[in-house]
Amino acid sequence: MSGNRVLIVFLPLVGAALLQTGCGPVRSLQKACDGGDPKSCLSLGQMYAKGEAVQKDIATAVRLFQRACDGGEAKVCSDLAARYENGEAVQKDIATAVRLFQKACDSGDAKACAGLGFRYFSGEGAPQTESKAVQLYQKACDGGDAKACNDLGVIYDKGWGVQRDAAKAASLYQRACDRGNQGGCSALA
């Protein structure tokens, strides 16, 4: 009977040790990430962000996400950009957000193109260049970002930096609405 008590006390200690040192998949992912595999860095970062099989550690997750981004994982660059834009688990840094949005947009991430478009439109973190903002919003809309379609519709509806064009605005609002954006649907009503 006393042997059972030792086992019961010992198991939580083993579990804690495994969380600290990593085991099986954690160790394999770490090795692959260290070897330059960005998908492994991403997977490991997600585990640290959620506390799955490792102790939750957002700072470590962010470092791993940066490695995944540097390795070419565009979606991660976009997510990191949003973290820097909002000061989420990192120091707010708009210049870094813009750099990461650019990298992700260049890799085809529509959401990143929209984020970058906003920065060029507002002039916060990037030079205010409405024509560049319009190009980026168009790229994002064409890439499937419903909010970008709506935002571009507003730009054409109001004539902000472009020739006012109600028909183009309506078409963009329709694209946004068709993709589930309430703003686009409301603008059509």
Side-chain angles (χ1 to χ4, degrees):
M1 192 69 157
S2 65
N4 287 342
R5 275 190 240 160
V6 171
L7 182 61
I8 291 169
V9 171
F10 183 67
L11 285 176
L13 293 175
V14 169
L18 289 175
L19 283 175
Q20 295 291 326
T21 61
C23 66
V26 174
R27 191 172 293 139
S28 297
L29 287 170
Q30 185 66 60
K31 186 175 182 177
C33 178
D34 291 344
D37 178 24
K39 290 191 184 314
S40 294
C41 296
L42 170 58
S43 295
L44 191 57
Q46 291 169 332
M47 291 172 78
Y48 275 101
K50 297 174 185 172
E52 293 176 353
V54 293
Q55 192 161 359
K56 186 174 183 173
D57 184 343
I58 299 298
T60 297
V62 168
R63 283 192 299 276
L64 289 162
F65 291 153
Q66 184 64 60
R67 288 174 70 183
C69 173
D70 292 345
E73 291 292 317
K75 175 75 173 96
V76 179
C77 296
S78 182
D79 292 345
L80 266 176
R83 283 183 182 271
Y84 279 101
E85 185 176 47
N86 300 313
E88 231 177 85
V90 295
Q91 175 99 19
K92 185 174 181 172
D93 184 343
I94 300 300
T96 296
V98 168
R99 182 179 53 77
L100 290 167
F101 276 139
Q102 183 69 63
K103 185 173 187 168
C105 180
D106 289 348
S107 295
D109 186 277
K111 184 178 172 186
C113 295
L116 192 57
F118 172 77
R119 291 293 162 198
Y120 276 100
F121 192 79
S122 70
E124 186 181 350
Q128 187 172 16
T129 313
E130 291 169 339
S131 61
K132 176 81 170 169
V134 168
Q135 290 172 349
L136 289 162
Y137 277 127
Q138 187 67 58
K139 184 175 180 178
C141 178
D142 292 345
D145 188 292
K147 185 175 182 325
C149 295
N150 181 67
D151 292 349
L152 192 56
V154 171
I155 289 170
Y156 277 100
D157 200 14
K158 304 291 184 186
W160 292 336
V162 295
Q163 181 70 36
R164 189 166 189 244
D165 187 336
K168 185 165 183 110
S171 172
L172 289 161
Y173 288 143
Q174 187 64 57
R175 286 175 74 183
C177 183
D178 290 347
R179 294 177 181 161
N181 181 276
Q182 266 319 114
C185 298
S186 296
L188 291 169

